[in-house]
Amino acid sequence: EILLFNRNARLIFGVEDGAVVGRNFRSVLPAPTSALVEQLCEEALTRGHAPAREMSIEGPDHFDMSIEASGSVVKEEGRPIGVVLHFRHLATSRRLAKLEEMDKLKDRFIRTVSHELRNPLSPICEAASLLLDGLAGDLAPGQREMVEIIHRNATFLTTLINDLLDLSRLSPSKARLDLDEADVGAILRGVAARFTVSAEMHSFKFGLQVPEYPVRAVIDNIRVEQVVVNLLSNAFKFTPDGGSVDIILADDPEKVRITVRDTGEGVALEDQARIFDMFEQVGRHRPGRPKGSGLGLSICREIANAHGGEMKLVSTPGQGASFPLELPRYGPPEKTVISGCQSRSRNDGED
């Protein structure tokens, strides 16, 4: 009789949810499949195990399906009391292997193209900077305008390439965080100091609200700082002169919440669902402010996800926007061991 029939087994054999445990497997599975299962059980009981082999069975859609099957004996006080059968859908496994191979090819392509593009861009940016500084002589107004276009677009391409590399490194299968306990308030004070001059230039009311006591959390402080810098850059870009931009740190026992809030134009309702998508640049940036790559918020979301946290948007069109970043206080739910620091896990002690 069946003692355990998990969800994956139901999917492979097309068995509907219901009372399966306690029934004879012959009454649950079709006759040809029952015969194969019986053969596996007999072999496992005779030899002590049934080595993995590829088998073909009739799938839920009545087409042949390739699976890998194996079996092992369960013993109690040296006596066999049952058999555990393991089944693996080979088509799914092969599809996953193919996707992993394609993912590696994509990463290799991005790295190669980025390297080949960055090599000529660096001297272009440097040469344009030297020309703008007048080291090659004074430029006529028309010449200066053209060199500024060269410098601006070369800088934009460099930023775009770096963002693409960043996004590739932060994909769920490859994201690695340098986790350590850090004072989140101290990080925010450091970031705020870098934006003070810009805030004064645009007459912003620039506020920082953090608790007086240290708010400690297990995070990758470089990546969290990257998120806050990106959010502040966007807030400055979309807020008119004389507006307000605030950084707010909220603390509770299980998580920390960093919110960047502005009084800019807000985000249109039709744009809010896609604002974290790659290459999306919703709304209109203010004249004279640099244009972004359209990848910044995607990178912010991936950093939040890698921490086991969440990145949100709260906005009413015409009344500004808030971007709360919520992070678990003790790092991602999974155990992550990097740089000799093991993050605490909510799953400690669980199977």
Side-chain angles (χ1 to χ4, degrees):
E1 69 180 37
I2 298 172
L3 297 182
L4 174 67
F5 204 82
N6 67 13
R7 179 176 177 274
N8 286 338
R10 293 178 188 277
L11 292 174
I12 289 175
F13 293 109
V15 176
E16 296 180 359
D17 290 344
V20 174
V21 173
R23 294 171 58 187
N24 188 292
F25 67 82
R26 296 180 187 85
S27 67
V28 175
L29 304 174
T33 304
S34 295
L36 292 173
V37 169
E38 187 168 4
Q39 179 184 342
L40 281 170
C41 290
E42 289 176 355
E43 183 177 352
L45 288 169
T46 302
R47 302 176 55 182
H49 73 285
R53 80 285 308 273
E54 187 172 334
M55 304 171 65
S56 180
I57 65 171
E58 183 180 319
D61 52 6
H62 304 295
F63 288 98
D64 286 346
M65 177 174 60
S66 294
I67 62 171
E68 182 184 86
S70 62
S72 54
V73 175
V74 178
K75 294 183 179 181
E76 187 176 88
E77 297 180 353
R79 294 174 50 253
I81 61 170
V83 176
V84 177
L85 299 180
H86 310 271
F87 300 95
R88 187 162 64 99
H89 195 315
L90 288 178
T92 301
S93 301
R94 288 166 181 160
R95 192 180 301 118
L96 288 173
K98 184 67 175 176
L99 288 173
E100 288 177 2
E101 181 184 349
M102 291 173 66
D103 197 42
K104 290 178 182 176
L105 288 172
K106 178 206 72 176
D107 289 343
R108 193 177 304 129
F109 173 77
I110 290 175
R111 286 196 302 270
T112 302
V113 171
S114 300
H115 177 74
E116 294 301 322
L117 285 175
R118 276 201 296 192
N119 279 346
L121 279 173
S122 294
I124 290 172
C125 286
E126 183 65 24
S129 293
L130 293 175
L131 288 172
L132 290 172
D133 290 340
L135 295 183
D138 292 336
L139 298 175
Q143 292 173 327
R144 175 169 289 276
E145 184 180 349
M146 286 187 286
V147 175
E148 285 175 347
I149 291 172
I150 292 170
H151 185 263
R152 184 165 57 249
N153 284 282
T155 303
F156 171 75
L157 280 175
T158 302
T159 302
L160 179 60
I161 290 165
N162 290 335
D163 283 350
L164 280 170
L165 283 171
D166 235 358
L167 204 56
S168 175
R169 294 188 195 105
L170 286 165
S171 66
S173 60
K174 297 180 288 295
R176 284 184 63 82
L177 300 176
D178 189 5
L179 295 174
D180 205 349
E181 191 176 80
D183 181 356
V184 182
I187 294 171
L188 298 184
R189 290 186 191 96
V191 173
R194 292 158 55 182
F195 282 79
T196 301
V197 173
S198 181
E200 292 173 352
M201 288 174 56
H202 296 288
S203 303
F204 288 148
K205 299 184 182 85
F206 187 31
L208 175 63
Q209 302 175 30
V210 300
E212 294 182 1
Y213 55 86
V215 178
R216 309 197 70 82
V218 177
I219 58 172
D220 184 327
N221 63 316
I222 299 298
R223 289 297 188 183
V224 170
E225 180 177 315
Q226 180 182 357
V227 173
V228 179
V229 167
N230 190 285
L231 295 177
L232 278 177
S233 298
N234 283 347
F236 278 41
K237 185 192 305 182
F238 287 97
T239 301
D241 290 357
S244 297
V245 176
D246 294 293
I247 310 172
I248 304 162
L249 174 60
D251 176 29
D252 75 33
E254 292 297 321
K255 63 187 176 184
V256 295
R257 183 187 301 108
I258 303 166
T259 302
V260 174
R261 182 179 65 194
D262 65 64
T263 58
E265 61 194 55
V267 181
L269 294 176
E270 63 270 20
D271 293 334
Q272 293 186 13
R274 57 189 178 89
I275 195 168
F276 293 106
D277 293 347
M278 292 174 60
F279 300 110
E280 288 292 344
Q281 297 196 34
V282 301
R284 297 172 58 187
H285 73 285
R286 305 192 65 77
R289 311 287 172 88
K291 182 182 178 182
S293 66
L295 292 172
L297 287 177
S298 298
I299 292 171
C300 290
R301 180 183 58 184
E302 294 301 328
I303 291 173
N305 291 344
H307 278 84
E310 190 175 12
M311 182 92 235
K312 299 178 183 178
L313 162 68
V314 180
S315 179
T316 300
Q319 298 181 27
S322 294
F323 286 87
L325 167 65
E326 293 186 351
L327 300 173
R329 179 177 284 278
Y330 302 113
E334 306 83 15
K335 292 183 178 69
T336 306
V337 182
I338 301 176
S339 301
C341 169
Q342 176 170 313
S343 71
R344 288 177 57 178
S345 169
R346 295 193 197 94
N347 295 333
D348 283 353
E350 296 180 9
D351 293 332

